[in-house]
Amino acid sequence: MKTSAANRAVTAMLDSLCGKHLQGKEEVLRLAVIALLAGGHILIEDLPGLGKTTIALALASSTGLSFGRVQCTSDLLPSDITGLSVFRRDEGNFSFLPGPIFNNIVLLDEINRAMPRTQSAMLEAMEEQRVTVEGVTHALPDPFMVLATQNPSDQSGTFPLPESQLDRFLICTGVGYPPDDLEKEIIARGGIRERISGITSVASAADIIAARRTVAEQVYLSGKLVDYIHALVAATRCHAMIQAGLSTRAAINLAQAARAAAFLEGRDFVAPEDVKGVVASVCAHRLVLRPEHDAADRRLLLREIVAGIVLPM
Amino acid sequence: MTPLSPLIAVLSYVIALCGIVPLYPWLDLLPRLFLAAGMSAGIWQDRRGAWPLKNWMLNASIVPLFLYYAAQFSRFNAVQPVVSMLAVMLAVRLLGEKSGRHYLQIQSLSLFCLASSSLFDLSPSFLLYLTLLLLLAALSLVLLTFQAHDSRMTLSSRDLRRVLAAGLLIPLAALPLLVFFFPLLPRTQLPLWNLLAAPASRPSGFSDKVETGGSSNVGDSSQLVFRAELSRLPQQLYWRGTVFNRLSGQRWVRDAAVPAERIVYGTERVSQVIYPEPALSRNLLALDAAAEIRAIRVKRSADGVYELPLVSGRRQNYQAESSSRGMLPVKGSIDRDFYLLLPETVPARIRSLAAEIRGRADSDQGRLTLLEDYFRNGNFRYGKQGLPTGEHALEQFLFESRQGHCEFFASGFAVLARAAGVPTRLVGGYLGGEYNDLGGYYLVSEQMAHVWVEVFIDGKGWLRIDPSSFAVNSGAIWGVRQPAGLVKRLRMVLDSFDHAWNRSVITYDLERQIEVARHAGKWLQAFRAERVLNSVFRPLMALAAVVGIALVLTNRRRLLLSAQERLLRGFYRRVARDCGIQAQPGSVGLFELAEQSGNHRVRTFADIYAAAVYRDRRLTREELLVLKRLLREGFNPPS
């Protein structure tokens, strides 16, 4: 298989993360890697204390990518993220001090605590992959992935992200509680935060970039799968419970994520299962339900819709 | 882009015309004026786009008219008021501003108008108008549904064509049903509107009396009297209708007390079916002379005249058997005195001529020959102008002017013959007929009305003599056959269509229905399945094969599973049997199934199969072999 070299590096990284360091977080890690490979960003939405930050740290250190972190608060300013120009008295000029966003993997912790103004500045940077400060445009490093975390929005003092900005995240997922015995083990051993710095990187940035290129160029998306994705998107648009169905961007992202998922499975073509595997994480946060059904579980709804579409074979 | 509203308006006017045109000739002046005014004002206002008169005003204004017509309605005048009211209502609808509801009203009123025109006249053009109206109504209904959705809708020419095609398809799809239902639907034996069925009286060449000297001119009417279906005959055709057996004054009439006589018809019969046009005559016509006429309640007199008890006025065809030899043999004797009777007023000149003839021969035959010679050598001319009139018309004709039409010839001949002692009677009917090759029938019109005589020869019977044929110009009138010009041929084609319409639609009644059923029954009894099968088997099989191949070719992707699809089904069956996972192709994916089963052979199959399918390529021969082997061996092979 052509993808083998890049594939080996990435899967080895994933295996080492899951097996050694972050037991019980396989699904989140897999989705994070998918986001990384597809060139998207991931939003992890769960209660505090379930290991969101740990996941981000572990991912960064195991890939050997640089890591930046922004802890969002309501008084956080855009320049706190992007960086700012400072006057160097010794040199007699202004020089640009890059902010934490100039890293390969950026953790935006509790993004919904930041003001909308700051949120939108960050999201713009995510979309454009560059930052303009005082008239000078600075390109962000490649690969670049934002790993945002968010507490469920019913907590006080938060600015929930609007749908248009949620749409910019390739994947939105929860973490969930670890299985009972694993949790007991974690309780017994304590957290792994302090050990994260000791994680040796398994894949390099070059590996990640190569894998990204492979995902984008060599994983084949059949016309049948395009039809399947289109049928899926179309089905959400005429569903009784859904006010606004999936956008074309959602469909593009679904295809990208499916390619990355197929790559992780070691295939050079996308199978319907790849789409099915990522559809809930890629699409659920983009659905706008009718007000009367707002409490419904979007992931469940999506799975129902998917079950109603005939797989291409 | 075509806006719909003007299109619907135009369609509605054409539909209204389809209802108005056939009814118009039968309407009174007032509704006629209403219709003309309503139509033109409606079109004008539609063009202008302004309707100063509101619909409620119009509706209210015709209430007095409605009351007027309601007052006129009676058992004897039932149709005219109703039809007039219909016409007025249609006129008002055409005049007013039109919404979808009004267009529908125009359509239904037009249909009612067309239907009511059939109470007056049922010509084949009714079918034309009805077809046109139904087609256009269906079209306009389809357009109206669009207009109801959006009154300012415009359609591109492509969409419009599709809409029009759909609108036309609706009535066309109903056509086979029409053919199926026409023979089946219940019919009445009698016309529904008996009262109306009697047509307006018209001048007839054939009447119940023959009177010479009534007028100096005789009109020619080409009005159709009847059609007779029979094969073409070489001889001159005499259609016998009635017999005038008594001369009273100047006038030959029919004495209802016909003396008894026994006519012996020959066994060589000509069978014919006569389709008379509705008329006021009770006489049934047939080729001279009818041995038998089969019709309901027909009454035969001793002298071979067939009559109906009442003027029915409806179209009713009948079958007649004639033995046509120009001679009616009579068995036994006849009442000679009755057929020799003459009134006192017969002029002396006629009597003296007759006496001379009587003196020169003593047998009926001899006297007849002398009479014929008198006419043949008398330089008589046949003509319809400058006829003698008045009390002495007959005398003038015989001795002076020597010009007259058939009534003069026949009457003169009969009077002379009777005075000479030869029993004679006048026969009224028609002479000749135009043969329509297309329909296989003779057309007989009013202008062919004719009168001739029958002379009794003792020992033989009644001999048909046509005195008009003794005229010097008779050959020019009856002998020449007109060349069949284009116009005439066209007329014949149209007429055969008319005849077919009358035959198969108008006179199609319960009797014919039963006949059709009986024919069908007979046909079924005589039906030999093997024979029919033998003859149609090969072409049928060939056709079925062609159709079958065409169907398979067009649906081959659906009908014939590709090798891949067969494999896939086999795979799911195998998984169900070997791994106990019931799944339908299309609901559970290949890799999911491999995952669920945890079987490496299933996994192998899924890998190979999916690699081909999801890369949009066909399975290679080797892959196919591997997959087939996997399926054959099963997923849990005994290792």
Side-chain angles (χ1 to χ4, degrees), chain B residues 89-275:
Chain B
M89 278 157 70
L90 179 57
V92 164
R93 265 299 144 265
L94 288 173
L95 176 65
E97 188 178 0
K98 300 165 196 78
S99 68
R101 188 163 56 94
H102 297 125
Y103 283 124
L104 289 179
Q105 286 172 356
I106 288 177
Q107 288 180 11
S108 43
L109 281 171
S110 304
L111 195 60
F112 282 138
C113 279
L114 179 63
S116 59
S117 81
S118 74
L119 293 176
F120 298 99
D121 174 38
L122 248 187
S123 70
S125 58
F126 177 82
L127 188 67
L128 179 75
Y129 288 119
L130 184 69
T131 314
L132 198 61
L133 197 149
L134 290 182
L135 277 177
L136 293 178
L139 209 58
S140 139
L141 279 178
V142 172
L143 291 180
L144 275 175
T145 53
F146 280 89
Q147 205 209 16
H149 192 69
D150 173 11
S151 59
R152 293 187 181 173
M153 186 178 272
T154 57
L155 285 180
S156 69
S157 59
R158 196 168 138 268
D159 288 340
L160 188 69
R161 267 204 300 280
R162 285 171 59 192
V163 168
L164 294 184
L168 287 174
L169 264 182
I170 296 171
L172 286 183
L175 269 185
L177 283 180
L178 177 87
V179 173
F180 176 71
F181 278 121
F182 179 79
L184 287 185
L185 286 179
R187 305 295 164 123
T188 57
Q189 182 70 349
L190 293 166
L192 216 51
W193 205 262
N194 212 354
L195 184 144
L196 266 170
S201 63
R202 52 190 162 84
S204 166
F206 178 86
S207 58
D208 55 353
K209 59 183 191 292
V210 170
E211 186 173 16
T212 49
S215 81
S216 63
N217 286 308
V218 172
D220 252 355
S221 155
S222 59
Q223 191 123 32
L224 182 68
V225 183
F226 64 89
R227 297 183 180 91
E229 268 186 7
L230 71 162
S231 47
R232 194 195 270 277
L233 294 174
Q235 71 266 36
Q236 191 65 277
L237 300 178
Y238 285 87
W239 306 94
R240 198 173 193 262
T242 187
V243 168
F244 305 104
N245 48 22
R246 193 157 61 82
L247 180 65
S248 82
Q250 297 254 46
R251 179 185 295 175
W252 282 94
V253 294
R254 177 168 177 78
D255 191 336
V258 179
E261 61 184 53
R262 276 190 64 198
I263 299 174
V264 183
Y265 294 97
T267 49
E268 200 180 298
R269 303 277 171 88
V270 176
S271 185
Q272 70 224 268
V273 184
I274 312 274
Y275 296 87

Side-chain angles (χ1 to χ4, degrees), chain B residues 416-494:
Chain B
L416 271 175
R418 280 195 174 187
V422 185
T424 311
R425 61 192 181 193
L426 250 67
V427 180
Y430 293 87
L431 172 61
E434 283 180 285
Y435 195 72
N436 188 335
D437 287 304
L438 193 68
Y441 58 86
Y442 277 100
L443 265 168
V444 178
S445 55
E446 286 293 1
Q447 66 200 359
M448 297 174 188
H450 196 60
V451 182
W452 62 94
V453 299
E454 280 177 356
V455 179
F456 188 76
I457 308 293
D458 201 19
K460 285 185 179 172
W462 293 103
L463 185 65
R464 182 181 69 210
I465 307 279
D466 186 357
S468 308
S469 67
F470 301 135
V472 287
N473 58 346
S474 73
I477 291 173
W478 288 290
V480 190
R481 192 154 283 167
Q482 287 167 355
L486 184 67
V487 177
K488 188 186 167 189
R489 244 181 290 163
L490 189 67
R491 192 161 59 82
M492 285 297 169
V493 169
L494 285 179

Side-chain angles (χ1 to χ4, degrees), chain A residues 218 220 222-225 265 267-273 276 309-313, chain B residues 568 572 585-593 603 607 609-611 613-616:
Chain A
Q218 286 179 21
Y220 184 81
S222 150
K224 297 190 189 80
L225 265 300
E265 288 293 321
R267 286 195 300 264
D268 61 350
F269 58 87
V270 181
E273 283 87 341
K276 274 171 91 172
I309 298 169
V310 178
L311 298 178
M313 289 196 163
Chain B
L568 194 66
Y572 276 85
S587 64
V588 182
L590 295 164
F591 293 109
E592 264 177 285
L593 213 55
R603 177 85 207 184
D607 279 340
Y609 183 87
V613 169
Y614 298 129
R615 288 200 67 97
D616 288 340

Side-chain angles (χ1 to χ4, degrees), chain B residues 201-375:
Chain B
S201 63
R202 52 190 162 84
S204 166
F206 178 86
S207 58
D208 55 353
K209 59 183 191 292
V210 170
E211 186 173 16
T212 49
S215 81
S216 63
N217 286 308
V218 172
D220 252 355
S221 155
S222 59
Q223 191 123 32
L224 182 68
V225 183
F226 64 89
R227 297 183 180 91
E229 268 186 7
L230 71 162
S231 47
R232 194 195 270 277
L233 294 174
Q235 71 266 36
Q236 191 65 277
L237 300 178
Y238 285 87
W239 306 94
R240 198 173 193 262
T242 187
V243 168
F244 305 104
N245 48 22
R246 193 157 61 82
L247 180 65
S248 82
Q250 297 254 46
R251 179 185 295 175
W252 282 94
V253 294
R254 177 168 177 78
D255 191 336
V258 179
E261 61 184 53
R262 276 190 64 198
I263 299 174
V264 183
Y265 294 97
T267 49
E268 200 180 298
R269 303 277 171 88
V270 176
S271 185
Q272 70 224 268
V273 184
I274 312 274
Y275 296 87
E277 289 291 295
L280 290 170
S281 169
R282 286 159 52 203
N283 289 93
L284 296 185
L285 290 135
L287 207 55
D288 187 36
E292 193 188 355
I293 287 182
R294 283 194 284 275
I296 302 167
R297 291 192 289 179
V298 67
K299 193 174 124 269
R300 181 184 182 277
S301 308
D303 52 3
V305 172
Y306 295 84
E307 281 178 319
L308 291 171
L310 288 167
V311 176
S312 84
R314 60 179 286 217
R315 282 177 197 278
Q316 190 183 21
N317 56 321
Y318 52 87
Q319 197 170 14
E321 303 278 341
S322 302
S323 91
S324 168
R325 286 186 304 175
M327 175 71 165
L328 289 176
V330 172
K331 203 172 181 181
S333 62
I334 59 154
D335 185 351
R336 285 185 74 97
D337 293 340
F338 181 79
Y339 289 110
L340 289 174
L341 203 63
L342 282 174
E344 295 302 315
T345 54
V346 173
R349 275 170 91 180
I350 296 179
R351 282 194 188 276
S352 66
L353 176 63
E356 188 198 327
I357 289 168
R358 185 159 30 175
R360 283 169 56 194
D362 53 359
S363 69
D364 291 339
Q365 182 64 59
R367 289 166 181 164
L368 179 61
T369 315
L370 287 174
L371 254 176
E372 285 180 357
D373 286 345
Y374 175 77
F375 270 85

Side-chain angles (χ1 to χ4, degrees), chain A residues 252-271:
Chain A
I252 295 170
N253 287 353
L254 184 55
Q256 284 173 334
R259 279 177 193 218
F263 174 81
L264 286 185
E265 288 293 321
R267 286 195 300 264
D268 61 350
F269 58 87
V270 181

